[in-house]
PDB file of all heavy atoms in Angstrom:
ATOM      1  N   VAL A   2       0.585   2.170  -0.913  1.00 89.00           N
ATOM      2  CA  VAL A   2       1.355   3.373  -1.037  1.00 89.00           C
ATOM      3  C   VAL A   2       0.974   4.340   0.050  1.00 89.00           C
ATOM      4  O   VAL A   2      -0.178   4.640   0.296  1.00 89.00           O
ATOM      5  CB  VAL A   2       1.156   4.016  -2.402  1.00 89.00           C
ATOM      6  CG1 VAL A   2       1.906   5.357  -2.504  1.00 89.00           C
ATOM      7  CG2 VAL A   2       1.570   3.073  -3.493  1.00 89.00           C
ATOM      8  N   LEU A  11       3.418  27.113  12.187  1.00 98.00           N
ATOM      9  CA  LEU A  11       3.212  28.560  12.166  1.00 98.00           C
ATOM     10  C   LEU A  11       4.561  29.254  12.098  1.00 98.00           C
ATOM     11  O   LEU A  11       5.467  28.923  12.931  1.00 98.00           O
ATOM     12  CB  LEU A  11       2.454  28.962  13.423  1.00 98.00           C
ATOM     13  CG  LEU A  11       2.273  30.489  13.648  1.00 98.00           C
ATOM     14  CD1 LEU A  11       1.431  31.122  12.565  1.00 98.00           C
ATOM     15  CD2 LEU A  11       1.647  30.786  14.997  1.00 98.00           C
ATOM     16  N   ARG A  45      -6.399  23.552  -5.643  1.00 97.00           N
ATOM     17  CA  ARG A  45      -5.041  23.010  -5.337  1.00 97.00           C
ATOM     18  C   ARG A  45      -4.102  23.440  -6.445  1.00 97.00           C
ATOM     19  O   ARG A  45      -4.452  23.266  -7.666  1.00 97.00           O
ATOM     20  CB  ARG A  45      -5.103  21.490  -5.205  1.00 97.00           C
ATOM     21  CG  ARG A  45      -3.847  20.861  -4.610  1.00 97.00           C
ATOM     22  CD  ARG A  45      -4.091  19.441  -4.270  1.00 97.00           C
ATOM     23  NE  ARG A  45      -5.101  19.277  -3.216  1.00 97.00           N
ATOM     24  CZ  ARG A  45      -5.349  18.080  -2.596  1.00 97.00           C
ATOM     25  NH1 ARG A  45      -4.613  17.016  -2.919  1.00 97.00           N
ATOM     26  NH2 ARG A  45      -6.256  18.030  -1.684  1.00 97.00           N
ATOM     27  N   ARG A  72      15.359  15.578  -2.959  1.00 97.00           N
ATOM     28  CA  ARG A  72      14.977  14.257  -2.578  1.00 97.00           C
ATOM     29  C   ARG A  72      16.191  13.475  -2.220  1.00 97.00           C
ATOM     30  O   ARG A  72      17.324  13.743  -2.659  1.00 97.00           O
ATOM     31  CB  ARG A  72      14.212  13.569  -3.701  1.00 97.00           C
ATOM     32  CG  ARG A  72      15.047  13.309  -4.973  1.00 97.00           C
ATOM     33  CD  ARG A  72      14.203  12.827  -6.083  1.00 97.00           C
ATOM     34  NE  ARG A  72      13.575  11.488  -5.821  1.00 97.00           N
ATOM     35  CZ  ARG A  72      12.551  10.973  -6.435  1.00 97.00           C
ATOM     36  NH1 ARG A  72      11.983  11.664  -7.406  1.00 97.00           N
ATOM     37  NH2 ARG A  72      12.094   9.755  -6.160  1.00 97.00           N
ATOM     38  N   ASP A  73      15.971  12.432  -1.340  1.00 97.00           N
ATOM     39  CA  ASP A  73      17.001  11.497  -0.945  1.00 97.00           C
ATOM     40  C   ASP A  73      16.452  10.138  -1.160  1.00 97.00           C
ATOM     41  O   ASP A  73      15.652   9.586  -0.380  1.00 97.00           O
ATOM     42  CB  ASP A  73      17.298  11.730   0.572  1.00 97.00           C
ATOM     43  CG  ASP A  73      18.403  10.760   1.112  1.00 97.00           C
ATOM     44  OD1 ASP A  73      18.714   9.831   0.416  1.00 97.00           O
ATOM     45  OD2 ASP A  73      18.908  11.036   2.210  1.00 97.00           O
ATOM     46  N   ASN A  77      14.069   7.461   0.907  1.00 97.00           N
ATOM     47  CA  ASN A  77      12.680   7.472   0.449  1.00 97.00           C
ATOM     48  C   ASN A  77      11.965   8.718   0.939  1.00 97.00           C
ATOM     49  O   ASN A  77      10.765   8.686   1.315  1.00 97.00           O
ATOM     50  CB  ASN A  77      11.903   6.247   0.944  1.00 97.00           C
ATOM     51  CG  ASN A  77      12.263   4.963   0.173  1.00 97.00           C
ATOM     52  OD1 ASN A  77      13.213   5.002  -0.680  1.00 97.00           O
ATOM     53  ND2 ASN A  77      11.548   3.899   0.413  1.00 97.00           N
ATOM     54  N   CYS A  96       2.027  16.427  -0.507  1.00 98.00           N
ATOM     55  CA  CYS A  96       3.055  15.689  -1.227  1.00 98.00           C
ATOM     56  C   CYS A  96       2.341  14.898  -2.323  1.00 98.00           C
ATOM     57  O   CYS A  96       1.224  14.393  -2.148  1.00 98.00           O
ATOM     58  CB  CYS A  96       3.709  14.762  -0.234  1.00 98.00           C
ATOM     59  SG  CYS A  96       4.860  13.544  -0.910  1.00 98.00           S
TER      60      CYS A  96
END
Side-chain angles (χ1 to χ4, degrees):
V2 177
L11 173 65
R45 194 168 295 189
R72 64 189 295 163
D73 181 345
N77 284 7
C96 172

